[in-house]
Structure formats: structure tokens, C-alpha cells
Amino acid sequence: MAETTTAGRRERKKAQTRQALSDAAVRLFTERGFENVGVREVAEAADVSLSTLFKHFPNKEALVFDLDADVESALVAAVRERAPGQSVLHALREHMVHTRTAVRTDDPTFVLVESTPALRDYARRMWSRHEKTLAAALAEATGLAPDAPAVTGLARFTLEAPSIARASEDPPRTMRELFALLEGGWAATPLARQEDCPGQDG
């Protein structure tokens, strides 16, 4: 029991340190610009050593993107722990609607990332890293090969959809429409039906 309590306290302390570093980084980067703040300044602002900072974050950009491993684990769990009878596509759709469309465009971290090319590029690389892991989970769930087009295509589509949805006026609705497009195909869209109707162009 004592060991469990100690381990729990240690994990809470680590989480608090990570949060303090991330908060300090976002504040300093927002106030002065990403390029004008060094990692040593972030460590000092969070009252930790530079070596402690690098134990939690491998580089300066990572300070803005906390809990990346948790994001990947949640993607895999959405596939593996979906409800009985629920398709992998529907499971991913609901997961993305509930986790990737809630970011407000006026959120300080979102604004910081969108206004900083280095952070935008890092965010895209980091997010794309999840593709291989997600494809493996999809292959396991469907029995298809990990490099099957259906598997790799769904994995990539899932990871690309949030950037389109967040740029819309109604991100949850747009996310559902994107997955509906994938499920029903172009032929099921209103535009495709209009294309099939003669005389619509005048």
C-alpha cells in the first residue's frame, strides 16, 4: 500500500511539473514570441532545472504539445474498445467529433500554434506520426493487412479531417459530413446528385 501511495504521489508530481512547464512555455511564447524565448527561460519560469525540463519534453516545440502519447492511446482505444456492432469508421467519427472539434479558435495555445510556422509544422509532423499506429489498430480490428489501402486511407483521412473541420463554422457538423463522404462516397453527396441531373447548369 505504501509503495502504491508513493508511486501515485510521484506520478502526480510529474504531471504537475509537466503542466507547470507547458503553462510557462505557452505564456512566454505568447507574450514574447516563440523564437524569442529559450528553454532555459521556460525552466526558470516553472522553477525547475533545465535537465528536468528535458526529462519531460524532448525539445522546445514539444512544450506546447503536452500529452501526445495520451492522444495516440485514445485513438487506438477508440478502435479497440468500440461498442459491440459499431464499425471502426463510426467509432473514429465519434471519437474525432468529441475530441478534435472542441478547440476554440481563440484559445491561446491554438492561436500561438497557428501564428508560429515552426509550431504549425511540428504539430503536423507530430499528428501524422499517429498514422502508422492507428493503421495497425485498424488492421487488427478488420483483419486487413496494415498496408492495405482501406486501412492506410482511413487512418490518414481520420488524422487530416480535424484541420478541415476546425476551419468551418460548425466543426462537429463538418466532421460528421466528412466521415459521411467517406462512408457513402462521392455519389451520395448533394453535389454529385446535382451533377447527375441534366439541365442544372442552365
Side-chain angles (χ1 to χ4, degrees), residues 1 5-6 12 17 22 27 59 78 86-87 103 106 112 118 127 130 132 144 151 156 159 175 184 198:
M1 181 65 70
T5 300
T6 300
R12 288 194 298 274
T17 300
S22 185
R27 176 174 57 79
N59 52 53
Q86 185 181 38
S87 70
V103 178
D106 60 349
L112 173 65
W127 186 237
H130 302 316
K132 186 175 182 179
L144 296 172
V151 167
R156 181 165 299 182
L159 296 175
M175 184 73 77

Side-chain angles (χ1 to χ4, degrees), residues 48-118:
V48 301
S49 67
L50 190 59
S51 61
T52 296
L53 182 150
F54 283 120
K55 286 179 182 178
H56 291 279
F57 297 95
N59 52 53
K60 182 179 174 181
E61 290 83 359
L63 283 158
V64 181
F65 303 96
D66 197 12
L67 304 178
D68 183 38
D70 288 357
V71 170
E72 184 167 283
S73 296
L75 278 168
V76 172
V79 174
R80 291 179 176 169
E81 300 171 15
R82 66 190 186 281
Q86 185 181 38
S87 70
V88 291
L89 187 144
H90 287 176
L92 285 172
R93 179 194 65 195
E94 294 309 302
H95 175 72
M96 300 305 276
V97 166
H98 292 120
T99 64
R100 309 308 301 181
T101 62
V103 178
R104 293 175 48 182
T105 56
D106 60 349
D107 175 80
T109 302
F110 180 85
V111 173
L112 173 65
V113 172
E114 288 301 302
S115 62
T116 309

Side-chain angles (χ1 to χ4, degrees), residues 3 18-19 25 43 55 72 74 77 86 111-112 126 133 148 150 185 189:
E3 291 183 2
R18 284 184 64 88
Q19 190 63 58
K55 286 179 182 178
E72 184 167 283
Q86 185 181 38
V111 173
L112 173 65
M126 183 183 66
T133 301
T189 66

Side-chain angles (χ1 to χ4, degrees), residues 101-173:
T101 62
V103 178
R104 293 175 48 182
T105 56
D106 60 349
D107 175 80
T109 302
F110 180 85
V111 173
L112 173 65
V113 172
E114 288 301 302
S115 62
T116 309
L119 291 176
R120 270 204 320 272
D121 291 345
Y122 183 85
R124 188 170 184 83
R125 292 197 306 272
M126 183 183 66
W127 186 237
S128 297
R129 281 205 332 264
H130 302 316
E131 184 179 320
K132 186 175 182 179
T133 301
L134 179 56
L138 289 168
E140 177 187 321
T142 60
L144 296 172
D147 60 350
V151 167
T152 57
L154 178 54
R156 181 165 299 182
F157 178 92
T158 298
L159 296 175
E160 292 289 347
S163 63
I164 300 174
R166 284 199 297 268
S168 71
E169 294 182 357
D170 188 343
R173 178 181 176 181

